[in-house]
Amino acid sequence: MEIAKKITLLFAILSAIIISLLSGFVWYFANDFAFEDFYKRLEARVRISAQLKLYQDVNNPAYAKMRNQYLERLPSEQAFIFEANSPRPKNIDSGLPQSFYKKIRAGLMSRYRVENHFYAGKSFKINNKDYLVIISANDPVGFRELKDLQHILIIGFFLSVFLSFVVGWRFSNYMLMPLRKIIKSVKKIKAENLHMRLEVKQGSDEMSQLAETFNNMLNRLETAFETQNNFISNASHELRTPLTIISGEVELALKAANDTEKQTIALAKIKDEAERLEHILTSLLGLAQSGFNGKNQPREAVRMDELLWEIKGSVNQVYPNSKIEIDLDKLPDDEQLLTLRVNKNLIKLAITNIVSNACKYSNGKSVNIALESNGNTISVAVTDQGIGIPQTDIQHIFEPFYRASNTNNYKGYGVGLPLSLNIIRLHRGSIAIKSQEGIGTEIKVLLPLMF
């Protein structure tokens, strides 16, 4: 069963229960009020009948006149007055229970009803004799009103349930409309258009969270697909070159069996290409692993200022002559604004690659690392005074194994920045780059504070 139908059915059932309880309360109190009013009219006639029939005083004519002028005779009204110890009159209803008479003998006003026929009675003591005064009458108007009310409540119940079903159906469709839009949008996303994203409306409701969750998943999927495509497209090309060189050098070494110098040169070349092949394989593996976001990448709270000092120490070991300066002038007072929940090893690797490139292409010039937090985002800006990047190469700089045209004199494989980009994207961050050839490069890493 569809969710909309389930919601509608549940809404209708709950509405039916509430309406039935409300109708029951209305019926109970209306029934009680209608009977209470008629009983009071009977009780008034019991007292007046007692004054007219039992008490012999000067007021009897006044009571009789009041009775005839102001109290209308009720439908089927009958008055029964008899001594308590004498047999009951034959014309009185024999169906009156003993509890009715027992309450009368106790000196209380007693009531009883059979369908639409009402009884009220009380005992009076006159001249040391007990008399029972019982008045009976029908109440066709009140009974008919209750019947009409019963019909109205029954019709209203079914009409209300029907309306609640219609309203519930429209309400469920309205509430599930954003979900249907999300499903429709997700169905359009395929392997060839993973760049598409769902529209996330302002707010923090469940639908917005669901759309944002889908977008995060699509980010990871797009990264994984790009990694896979890059791996397949570049692995064959990048691995073929060192393998071809190794194969050629092995043939030269075999032909120069008697020439030790040529064999030494060939073996050295084989060693260099083997090391290059190892670096390429390691880089490809890193790219492949950075395209996934599984449980093997645990996250922890990391102070970014402390991490930058660790990165500085690591890079200084590789480039001893590098001049790395860490700018902490814009740090906030609250330490929580410097703490991210990330995979420390991956984030350290991503920023280390950027800082290492800055040191490598700066030729010993100063490299500045600036840390800043604006409350929602932490930014790490790495600025160097190196060779810079030609404008025609900037758009390709994050492609695996792509190297700028002015880096031929520097050793590298073109995987550092693509690997950093993958890692930053896995942490829902972004990288911005600004460079001018011959002047320097600035790469800014932006990471969301809440992750």
Side-chain angles (χ1 to χ4, degrees):
M1 184 182 293
E2 297 179 357
I3 295 179
K5 293 181 180 178
K6 290 182 179 179
I7 293 176
T8 303
L9 183 60
L10 181 60
F11 186 80
I13 292 174
L14 292 177
S15 299
I17 294 174
I18 294 173
I19 294 171
S20 61
L21 291 175
L22 180 61
S23 300
F25 280 121
V26 171
W27 168 255
Y28 174 79
F29 288 111
N31 184 71
D32 188 64
F33 173 78
F35 291 166
E36 180 66 24
D37 180 68
F38 194 74
Y39 275 129
K40 287 182 179 179
R41 295 167 68 184
L42 287 181
E43 291 171 357
R45 284 161 173 78
V46 168
R47 294 186 182 92
I48 292 175
S49 296
Q51 291 291 338
L52 290 174
K53 303 294 184 181
L54 299 178
Y55 293 97
Q56 301 296 327
D57 54 39
V58 295
N59 293 325
N60 275 347
Y63 273 106
K65 182 177 180 180
M66 182 184 67
R67 171 68 176 83
N68 294 328
Q69 289 184 356
Y70 298 102
L71 289 179
E72 81 282 6
R73 184 166 294 276
L74 298 175
S76 303
E77 180 179 344
Q78 289 181 301
F80 305 96
I81 302 175
F82 55 93
E83 292 185 18
N85 296 325
S86 64
R88 279 177 276 178
K90 294 182 179 180
N91 55 348
I92 195 171
D93 193 345
S94 60
L96 291 174
Q98 291 299 322
S99 58
F100 178 80
Y101 293 103
K102 184 177 180 180
K103 192 172 182 180
I104 291 177
R105 293 188 179 94
L108 303 175
M109 184 69 74
S110 183
R111 298 174 175 180
Y112 187 69
R113 179 176 69 90
V114 179
E115 293 294 334
N116 193 32
H117 201 62
F118 295 80
Y119 296 87
K122 188 178 180 182
S123 66
F124 295 88
K125 194 174 186 65
I126 303 296
N127 298 325
N128 295 323
K129 292 183 179 181
D130 292 329
Y131 292 89
L132 301 185
V133 179
I134 299 175
I135 302 295
S136 68
N138 291 337
D139 183 17
V141 177
F143 204 74
R144 185 171 59 252
E145 289 177 350
L146 288 177
K147 286 292 184 181
D148 293 340
L149 177 61
Q150 185 180 24
H151 294 155
I152 292 173
L153 291 176
I154 293 174
I155 295 174
F157 171 78
F158 288 105
L159 182 60
S160 300
V161 171
F162 174 75
L163 290 177
S164 65
F165 184 85
V166 175
V167 172
W169 177 256
R170 295 183 63 87
F171 173 77
S172 61
N173 285 329
Y174 172 77
M175 294 302 297
L176 293 176
M177 187 62 67
L179 181 60
R180 291 193 177 100
K181 290 181 179 179
I182 291 176
I183 294 174
K184 186 177 180 180
S185 300
V186 171
K187 286 182 178 179
K188 294 180 180 178
I189 300 176
K190 299 182 175 14
E192 58 271 14
N193 60 354
L194 281 175
H195 62 279
M196 294 180 61
R197 293 297 180 268
L198 303 180
E199 180 183 358
V200 180
K201 295 184 178 180
Q202 296 293 334
S204 58
D205 59 359
E206 287 76 4
M207 293 302 175
S208 299
Q209 295 178 11
L210 179 62
E212 187 175 356
T213 301
F214 268 113
N215 287 339
N216 294 336
M217 181 190 68
L218 290 172
N219 288 336
R220 295 193 293 269
L221 285 176
E222 185 180 12
T223 302
F225 270 81
E226 288 180 358
T227 301
Q228 182 184 22
N229 292 334
N230 290 332
F231 188 91
I232 295 174
S233 61
N234 294 295
S236 59
H237 176 267
E238 296 298 327
L239 295 177
R240 186 181 295 112
T241 300
L243 288 176
T244 301
I245 295 175
I246 290 174
S247 178
E249 293 298 327
V250 168
E251 291 181 0
L252 289 176
L254 291 175
K255 290 180 180 179
N258 298 324
D259 192 336
T260 305
E261 184 178 355
K262 289 184 178 180
Q263 285 185 341
T264 302
I265 295 175
L267 291 175
K269 187 67 173 177
I270 291 172
K271 180 177 180 296
D272 291 339
E273 293 301 322
E275 291 178 353
R276 179 186 175 190
L277 184 62
E278 180 184 0
H279 283 295
I280 292 175
L281 288 174
T282 302
S283 301
L284 287 173
L285 181 61
L287 280 174
Q289 290 179 338
S290 68
F292 299 92
N293 190 21
K295 295 181 180 179
N296 58 337
Q297 298 178 3
R299 291 179 174 79
E300 57 184 297
V302 177
R303 280 278 301 264
M304 291 303 295
D305 53 344
E306 297 176 355
L307 183 65
L308 291 182
W309 289 108
E310 294 181 17
I311 291 173
K312 179 180 183 298
S314 300
V315 176
N316 281 334
Q317 291 181 353
V318 180
Y319 301 98
N321 297 326
S322 62
K323 300 177 181 178
I324 302 175
E325 298 178 357
I326 299 180
D327 182 4
L328 303 178
D329 292 339
K330 297 182 179 180
L331 292 186
D333 296 331
D334 187 1
E335 296 182 356
Q336 295 297 324
L337 298 179
L338 292 173
T339 304
L340 292 177
R341 189 166 185 80
V342 296
N343 183 289
K344 182 178 180 179
N345 293 331
L346 289 181
I347 289 294
K348 183 177 181 180
L349 175 61
I351 300 178
T352 298
N353 286 340
I354 297 173
V355 177
S356 297
N357 281 349
C359 293
K360 179 168 63 174
Y361 297 117
S362 293
N363 298 318
K365 294 181 181 179
S366 175
V367 174
N368 181 268
I369 305 175
L371 179 63
E372 184 178 356
S373 175
N374 63 4
N376 296 322
T377 306
I378 289 181
S379 66
V380 179
V382 181
T383 307
D384 64 57
Q385 304 174 25
I387 62 176
I389 304 173
Q391 294 300 311
T392 56
D393 294 334
I394 289 181
Q395 58 182 335
H396 304 289
I397 204 67
F398 291 108
E399 296 177 5
F401 302 104
Y402 182 89
R403 304 194 69 205
S405 57
N406 59 344
T407 60
N408 294 330
N409 296 329
Y410 298 88
K411 187 177 181 180
Y413 303 99
V415 294
L417 288 181
L419 179 58
S420 297
L421 177 61
N422 279 4
I423 294 173
I424 298 302
R425 286 175 61 182
L426 285 178
H427 290 79
R428 293 168 56 185
S430 60
I431 296 181
I433 184 169
K434 181 174 64 176
S435 182
Q436 187 172 353
E437 189 175 7
I439 295 179
T441 302
E442 179 184 357
I443 297 180
K444 180 176 288 188
V445 175
L446 300 174
L447 292 170
L449 189 62
M450 300 302 294
F451 181 72

